[in-house]
Amino acid sequence: ILSGGLLKHNQEAVGLHLDLALKRITLQDEKLQSQGCQLKFQETEMKIQAIQISKIMEKLNEIEKKPEVNSPFTDHLIWKINQFSDEKQKAKNDCDYTLTKCFYTSRGHKLEIVLYPIGDNGSRRNKNMAIYAQTVQGSFDDTINWPMEAIIEFYALDRSGNRRSYISFNTNQTAYVTSFVKPPHTANGYGIDHFVSLSNGNPYRNDTFTVEVMIKYKEN
């Protein structure tokens, strides 16, 4: 009788252990399934993010290929600088202060015009305005001809719109060409340090200084 009772007890114990083992296996299986679902969800999220990043990069590449909206294509630029007396005062307080204007020419070269309101840091500072030009990186640099070969003319316009001061130079001359090669380059802009005299007061209408820029390309 004892042997039979012991056997029954052992059988019940084995059954109980088997039930516990099955429950543990079931729980582990459920955990694995849950983790698998989480991994699939994370993989899906990563794929969605990768697609979004790819679309953003495509848009950025499209933007980089497009020319700047605010940069006109022209060989005849009129640059009006308002409140010019304030700009001159800023230049007096900061010897490196300049005004800049960028634009695309008709052939796709991007030019930067740099104006020193009271002159650069040379001997003509506080005597004459200085003005310079150079090529800068643009949207068409890989598809246009280099160096830029053109005559650049600067004019200062007075109250009546008449041309007051004048400078002209050929970008293809040896002394200037490094400022007009394919950018980026390390050359400084080329121009003149005595563009307009500062000794004549303010001959400009409504405190507005106007620069006229003409680009004359060499005919092919």
Side-chain angles (χ1 to χ4, degrees), residues 3-114:
S3 297
L6 181 60
L7 178 61
K8 183 179 180 180
H9 173 75
N10 288 338
Q11 289 175 343
E12 290 176 350
V14 170
L16 180 62
H17 286 302
L18 286 173
D19 288 339
L20 290 173
L22 286 172
K23 287 180 180 179
R24 288 178 180 175
I25 292 171
T26 301
L27 287 173
Q28 289 178 350
D29 184 62
E30 290 175 352
K31 286 182 179 179
L32 288 173
Q33 289 181 359
S34 177
Q35 290 175 352
C37 290
Q38 289 179 353
L39 286 173
K40 288 181 179 179
F41 177 78
Q42 290 175 352
E43 289 176 356
T44 302
E45 286 291 306
M46 291 176 66
K47 288 179 180 178
I48 293 173
Q49 290 177 358
I51 293 172
Q52 291 175 339
I53 291 172
S54 177
K55 289 181 178 179
I56 291 171
M57 292 302 296
E58 288 177 0
K59 289 182 179 179
L60 287 174
N61 289 332
E62 290 176 0
I63 291 172
E64 289 178 354
K65 291 178 182 178
K66 292 180 180 179
E68 292 83 343
V69 175
N70 294 326
S71 296
F73 289 80
T74 183
D75 290 337
H76 183 199
L77 178 74
I78 300 295
W79 179 17
K80 292 186 177 182
I81 306 170
N82 298 321
Q83 298 178 322
F84 194 64
S85 58
D86 291 341
E87 301 296 348
K88 289 194 293 184
Q89 186 59 48
K90 292 176 184 177
K92 290 179 181 179
N93 297 331
D94 181 359
C95 61
D96 294 322
Y97 184 78
T98 60
L99 297 165
T100 60
K101 181 73 173 180
C102 291
F103 68 99
Y104 283 97
T105 69
S106 62
R107 298 193 183 181
H109 297 102
K110 188 175 182 181
L111 278 184
E112 179 184 59
I113 311 301
V114 181

